Amino acid sequence: AFLSFIDGGFARTCTGFLIEPDLLATNEHCINSAETCRSMTAVFGYEFDPQNRLVMGPQLRCDEYDDTRSTFDLDVSVIRLNRPVGPEYVPVDITTDIPDPDGPLFIIQHPGSQPKQVSFINCAAVQTGVDGRATGSDFTHTCDTAGGSSGSPVFNADGVLVGVHHFGFMDDTDGIWSENRSTHADQIGAWWKGCCQPVDATALPAD
């Protein structure tokens, strides 16, 4: 989804993706308060169709921001939309069998406030387990992104989520990284299961 919102009095954009029919994940540095959430519009299906016509799908608003579903260390926020999007938009699984980023990758994104684009040419992980906001939380990658790509899902060639893009590269002359960065999806999945998933009572030991 293409996300537009107000932060600090300025209009900003990011990218998000469904993890449940009415739950959307994006970066914490994009949506990190009830105020930014209230100003947010998520536009699904903002893309060019096969006839090269620009189209838009459902436009939803934020229904709820809960800071327990937000993590600064992994730069992820999960927000509840005002309604489920619809069965044509399939949520991304972030909780099971998440491999390390390896081989060809692709990113679905809205760079520079533009319609949906897919980055896949020369798109691959470089280093894994590098420090981001937390120790060992990130991997670096060579996929082409731009402002507005924050919060984009990163998939491997099998279409399995392996990361969430959150930082663009910087000039390395001052010792700052020179590749883009994504948070490891397995760490996001572990956090999500620990913070926000219901407990399966049948799996608990008997008294």
Side-chain angles (χ1 to χ4, degrees):
F2 168 71
L3 309 184
S4 61
F5 57 96
I6 303 297
D7 184 18
F10 295 95
R12 294 190 56 204
T13 66
C14 282
T15 301
F17 60 99
L18 290 177
I19 62 170
E20 292 184 16
D22 64 344
L23 291 180
L24 180 139
T26 187
N27 283 156
E28 188 273 346
H29 77 253
C30 297
I31 305 297
N32 52 29
S33 68
E35 289 74 22
T36 55
C37 203
R38 280 194 296 268
S39 71
M40 188 205 76
T41 299
V43 183
F44 291 83
Y46 175 38
E47 59 193 67
F48 289 100
D49 70 9
Q51 288 72 44
N52 205 34
R53 297 173 301 193
L54 183 61
V55 297
M56 290 188 183
Q59 299 185 38
L60 279 68
R61 302 301 301 272
C62 170
D63 183 67
E64 177 188 41
Y65 174 81
D66 182 346
D67 59 11
T68 66
R69 296 199 298 261
S70 181
T71 166
F72 176 89
D73 287 351
L74 300 179
D75 199 9
V76 171
S77 285
V78 175
I79 60 175
R80 189 172 300 280
L81 300 171
N82 62 322
R83 62 176 175 85
V85 181
E88 66 272 32
Y89 297 96
V90 180
V92 175
D93 185 2
I94 66 169
T95 61
T96 57
D97 300 326
I98 298 174
D100 289 332
D102 189 25
L105 304 176
F106 65 95
I107 298 180
I108 301 175
Q109 58 182 326
H110 288 278
S113 305
Q114 298 176 37
K116 184 185 299 178
Q117 298 182 26
V118 180
S119 175
F120 63 93
I121 298 173
N122 298 324
C123 181
V126 180
Q127 291 181 286
T128 62
V130 300
D131 294 346
R133 283 183 164 184
T135 302
S137 62
D138 285 14
F139 64 90
T140 64
H141 66 83
T142 57
C143 309
D144 193 16
T145 63
S149 298
S150 291
S152 299
V154 184
F155 299 97
N156 66 15
D158 294 322
V160 177
L161 183 79
V162 295
V164 177
H165 172 74
H166 71 139
F167 288 141
F169 73 87
M170 300 179 183
D171 187 343
D172 203 32
T173 55
D174 295 323
I176 304 172
W177 63 84
S178 56
E179 294 98 15
N180 290 341
R181 292 200 175 203
S182 292
T183 307
H184 281 283
D186 58 347
Q187 296 190 32
I188 295 171
W191 161 76
W192 180 247
K193 286 190 285 187
C195 84
C196 310
Q197 293 293 288
V199 175
D200 182 359
T202 62
L204 298 177
D207 291 337

